[in-house]
Amino acid sequence: MATFVVTEKIRNDLHCKCTDPGLLLPRAKLSFWRDRKLVERNFGLPTLSAKDWADIEFGITEGVDCIALSFVKDANDIKHLKTYLSRRSLEHIKIFAKIESLESLKNLKDIIEASDGVMVARGDLGVQIPLEQIPAIQEVIVELCRNLNKPVIVASQLLESMVEYPTPTRAEVADVSEAVRQYADAIMLSAESAIGAYPEKALSVLRAASERMESWSREENMQRLLPQYQLAIALPDRISEQICTSAVEMANNLAVDAIFVYTKHGHMASLLSRNRPNPPIFAFTDDANSRKSMNLYWGVIPLQLPLSKSMDDNFKQTIKLLKSKGSVKPGDSVLVVADSDLNQPRAASSVFQSIQVRLVD
């Protein structure tokens, strides 16, 4: 928010001339540039400070669903926090890496693979890299997260003007639409809803712009398959990947009205979401934590209800539920993806998975 030019260095002090005046807070983040290049600094400080650990403890007591870890340097930062949560049997709390520094960009793939998801924190990232590079870097991160099957949130300054004003700039609406066009799983307001004067209006603008762009994108990209990066190594996991990729191709080609997936941990739902299908994905689970985590997956509408081993009973139950909500109607076609045994743990993935197309009567 302010710019200074160094005019003199005296021992450990810098004398500066302010060229762009602005508010400089006591804990402001500073970056140093020389010849339009960032001067890299490594203070050797831990990613998680004592205050961060106190905040994590507070979040745990409040029952948070996920923790967004700031200034991640490498995958070890994520693994350290995951190990801590695992020791306390809190594996259901998801860890999102905030990509906002040069270090995180250098280790991007390893960080994404170690995390449960990623947040593109463009505010702080814009302090560390030239502004003109941000759009390209955002698209690279979103694409890599989709390929690695990790949800990605685009955040910071989406509707910044609405902190003070009841309407956004048209450029901000275009920025929101671009994030949707790139297939980001979620877009997130921060100051607009935390301290802004018009939080509900900001959310309304975000929703309207997102829905319009997503609708247009579906119309323009009908039956278009996205290239996929193979993730699985073990045969059962490779089968799951292939089934979900084939299911999305079928759903697009047949123009079905919805995809149903019955899942214990949400893995099959994530694999379907990764392919960005045209119809909506309704994911049914009997696990509360899985339902919460699936809310972040692109195009997935998660619902929690008891599931039986009989897929016919599950289908009848879920069709009745969605008909009552107006989400499906008689005559609609539904593509159904399921494991043969929903009671199996994730590690024991069954290869007896199926794809069916059913009509709503």
Side-chain angles (χ1 to χ4, degrees):
M1 306 305 291
T3 309
F4 302 85
V5 174
V6 177
T7 58
E8 187 180 12
K9 179 182 178 184
I10 303 175
R11 293 184 296 276
N12 291 329
D13 296 329
L14 296 177
H15 287 195
C16 302
K17 177 183 177 181
C18 182
T19 56
D20 297 308
L23 182 64
L24 188 65
L25 299 173
R27 296 185 64 188
K29 298 179 180 71
L30 303 177
S31 61
F32 291 84
W33 296 76
R34 183 182 292 119
D35 300 327
R36 287 188 55 81
K37 291 184 180 179
L38 183 73
V39 179
E40 295 187 44
R41 299 167 297 153
N42 185 359
F43 296 120
L45 296 175
T47 298
L48 286 167
S49 66
K51 183 182 182 304
D52 291 329
W53 284 112
D55 289 341
I56 288 169
E57 287 301 319
F58 172 76
I60 289 171
T61 60
E62 293 297 309
V64 298
D65 300 310
C66 58
I67 296 169
L69 187 58
S70 292
F71 296 102
V72 175
K73 296 190 290 289
D74 54 42
N76 290 327
D77 293 335
I78 301 294
K79 293 173 183 176
H80 181 44
L81 182 53
K82 278 196 166 188
T83 300
Y84 174 77
L85 294 174
S86 178
R87 285 201 300 264
R88 299 183 56 179
S89 300
L90 296 169
E91 294 93 340
H92 65 275
I93 298 179
K94 306 301 181 185
I95 309 301
F96 276 66
K98 293 180 70 176
I99 306 300
E100 52 190 343
S101 67
L102 277 178
E103 290 90 344
S104 59
L105 290 176
K106 290 176 180 177
N107 301 300
L108 187 58
K109 187 168 184 280
D110 290 341
I111 289 172
I112 293 173
E113 288 176 334
S115 306
D116 296 306
V118 160
M119 183 185 296
V120 188
R122 304 178 306 175
D124 285 310
L125 188 59
V127 177
Q128 297 247 331
I129 64 173
L131 294 174
E132 64 271 16
Q133 293 183 16
I134 293 176
I137 288 175
Q138 173 182 307
E139 186 161 10
V140 167
I141 296 171
V142 170
E143 176 70 9
L144 186 55
C145 285
R146 189 188 65 78
N147 284 334
L148 295 176
N149 200 29
K150 298 295 176 76
V152 55
I153 305 168
V154 173
S156 303
Q157 301 177 335
L158 285 164
L159 299 171
E160 185 75 8
S161 67
M162 293 192 74
V163 173
E164 299 181 53
Y165 302 106
T167 57
T169 67
R170 296 353 177 213
E172 288 169 339
V173 173
D175 180 41
V176 169
S177 300
E178 176 61 14
V180 175
R181 188 198 65 78
Q182 291 175 1
Y183 292 122
D185 291 88
I187 45 182
M188 191 183 88
L189 300 178
S190 46
E192 301 93 329
S193 53
I195 61 171
Y198 304 95
E200 291 184 359
K201 286 188 176 181
L203 187 60
S204 177
V205 168
L206 191 72
R207 174 176 291 171
S210 301
E211 288 180 348
R212 180 65 193 94
M213 186 59 179
E214 190 165 279
S215 174
W216 178 83
S217 182
R218 287 179 190 275
E219 293 167 6
E220 291 297 307
N221 296 314
M222 189 68 73
Q223 300 184 8
R224 170 174 165 257
L225 272 181
L226 296 170
Q228 290 300 349
Y229 174 91
Q230 183 178 311
L231 295 171
I233 297 175
L235 180 61
D237 292 331
R238 288 175 60 194
I239 291 173
S240 295
E241 272 190 40
Q242 288 299 317
I243 281 181
C244 289
T245 300
S246 299
V248 168
E249 184 175 5
M250 283 182 62
N252 289 347
N253 290 339
L254 296 174
V256 301
D257 298 287
I259 298 174
F260 284 13
V261 57
Y262 301 91
T263 177
K264 182 72 173 178
H265 303 282
H267 183 58
M268 295 284 280
S270 74
L271 290 173
L272 289 166
S273 170
R274 176 182 181 230
N275 288 275
R276 305 305 195 244
N278 292 316
I281 304 165
F282 293 94
F284 306 100
T285 182
D286 55 9
D287 184 87
N289 290 323
S290 294
R291 182 194 64 80
K292 291 177 186 177
S293 64
M294 284 191 288
N295 273 308
L296 267 175
Y297 297 155
W298 186 98
V300 174
I301 304 163
L303 296 161
Q304 182 185 352
L305 71 169
L307 296 175
S308 71
K309 292 185 179 180
S310 168
M311 290 313 304
D312 282 335
D313 291 344
N314 288 334
F315 183 74
K316 290 175 184 176
Q317 177 189 197
T318 51
I319 281 292
K320 183 179 178 181
L321 173 65
L322 292 189
K323 283 171 70 176
S324 70
K325 292 176 176 290
S327 299
V328 297
K329 61 186 185 299
D332 283 354
S333 56
V334 176
L335 187 140
V336 183
V337 182
D339 283 313
S340 62
D341 188 351
L342 290 166
N343 296 316
Q344 286 286 341
R346 215 359 244 299
S349 297
S350 169
V351 297
F352 301 108
Q353 293 151 342
S354 64
I355 304 174
Q356 302 175 24
V357 178
R358 298 195 178 195
L359 294 178
V360 180
D361 56 23

